[in-house]
Amino acid sequence: MEIIKNDNPKFYKVDFENLSFGETFTDHMFICDFLDGNWVDPKIIPYQNISIDPSTSALHYGQAIFEGMKAYKDHNDKVWLFRPEDNFERLNKSCKRMKIPEIPKDIFMNGLKKLVSIDSDWVKSGNGNSLYIRPFVFASQATVQASPSSEYKFIIICSPAKSYYKESKFSVLISEKYSRASSGGVGFAKAAGNYGSSFYPTSIAQNKGYHQIIWTDSNEHKFIEEAGTMNIFFRIENKLITAPTNDRILDGITRKSVIQIAKDIGLDVEVRPFTVDELVAAVKNKSLKEIFGAGTAVVILSISGFGYKNIDYDIKPIKESYAEKIKKIITDIQYNRSDDKFGWRSEV
Ligand SMILES: *Cc1c(COP(=O)(O)O)cnc(C)c1O
């Protein structure tokens, strides 16, 4: 793999204390092209603009997918990835559904690890600090033909991150009208358009004073599916409940880690469809103890209340919260503060 170092790094000019999420990028990027039926010419180059033709297919038809993952630095300045093989596999699931040629594993893994090691100074140690990594693939052929592109670009960029949502209150609005995905569609893929189409419904919820929207199923708006771009868990008395994955729900790596840890520490976990009616009944009879979202950006985020049919329901903060407990176990693994009993860490 060719590596061209950045001889004008901006690293020294970055104010790491005042980063806003996803706006500052490291000094290098990985880039690889799909041309004539093959992924070719993987390389690491200085972070820079790319030049594209106005007819570039992805801009017109949204044939584009991405991943989201993080690198963490431990107390000895070693850098770790969390379950990167799962991101690789999901990237290719997304590619397949969007008729994008799949990425060979060595290209993904070598590019990822080399890039993170070259920019490893950008990964700050300390709880909550990490390097957010964004691999993405888009159709780069210059054409407005509505058909799969013959050319693609696979790029990885990285952005230093501190802990994401800062407010202690996080309230959500349960969607009665909009949905993010439908059966037979692309909800399970990290397809770019899933996110573009979520911004409008999310902004309606935010204009009403909520932080996020809770997606319900597209048929009846009866089943709870996800919280914004996080998977969602409910604690009813001492039981954790989360929806099974299907073609409308993103198979989150944090979600499956939460399930595995919860079972490992002896919690009762039910993976089953969960309805809005059950949630409202549980809050009324006080059996609802916690709701939390799970995803790479936040790891676990406690939800403090929800709105549904013009009524707001509060969830009282709880001592010995499962969210806190599981978050600590996951982050201890991520930052190499505990044994890696599940084999999830991967050294860069
Ligand atoms: C990425 C994503 C998640 C979380 O997946 P992780 O692998 O845990 O980061 C959940 N829901 C949606 C819609 C997502 O895009």
Side-chain angles (χ1 to χ4, degrees), residues 137-278:
V137 191
F138 67 94
S140 55
Q141 189 188 351
T143 176
V144 293
Q145 283 168 18
S147 57
S149 173
S150 62
E151 295 174 12
Y152 298 85
K153 283 188 188 296
F154 167 40
I155 298 177
I156 308 177
I157 55 176
C158 305
S159 173
K162 297 174 74 93
S163 54
Y164 203 177
Y165 295 107
K166 286 201 183 72
E167 292 127 290
S168 57
K169 287 262 168 203
F170 194 90
S171 65
V172 295
L173 179 65
I174 297 181
S175 178
E176 291 166 53
K177 173 175 179 184
Y178 296 100
S179 45
R180 71 172 283 281
S182 58
S183 298
V186 299
F188 70 92
K190 278 182 121 69
N194 287 342
Y195 304 84
S197 59
S198 74
F199 297 157
Y200 175 68
T202 304
S203 75
I204 295 175
Q206 288 172 343
N207 289 340
K208 290 180 179 168
Y210 300 93
H211 292 85
Q212 258 301 350
I213 191 165
I214 298 292
W215 302 110
T216 47
D217 71 284
S218 55
N219 279 343
E220 305 171 274
H221 300 287
K222 198 173 134 184
F223 295 98
I224 299 179
E225 302 205 313
E226 297 209 52
T229 57
M230 297 179 285
N231 295 109
I232 188 166
F233 288 78
F234 304 90
R235 173 179 170 188
I236 308 287
E237 295 298 357
N238 289 334
K239 182 180 290 177
L240 269 187
I241 302 174
T242 193
T245 55
N246 55 31
D247 61 0
R248 302 184 305 273
I249 296 181
L250 205 289
D251 186 3
I253 294 163
T254 317
R255 172 188 175 278
K256 63 185 180 188
S257 305
V258 168
I259 294 172
Q260 200 168 334
I261 287 169
K263 288 181 174 165
D264 186 64
I265 60 174
L267 302 181
D268 201 358
V269 184
E270 266 183 24
V271 178
R272 64 163 174 90
F274 188 70
T275 64
V276 184
D277 287 348
E278 274 182 275

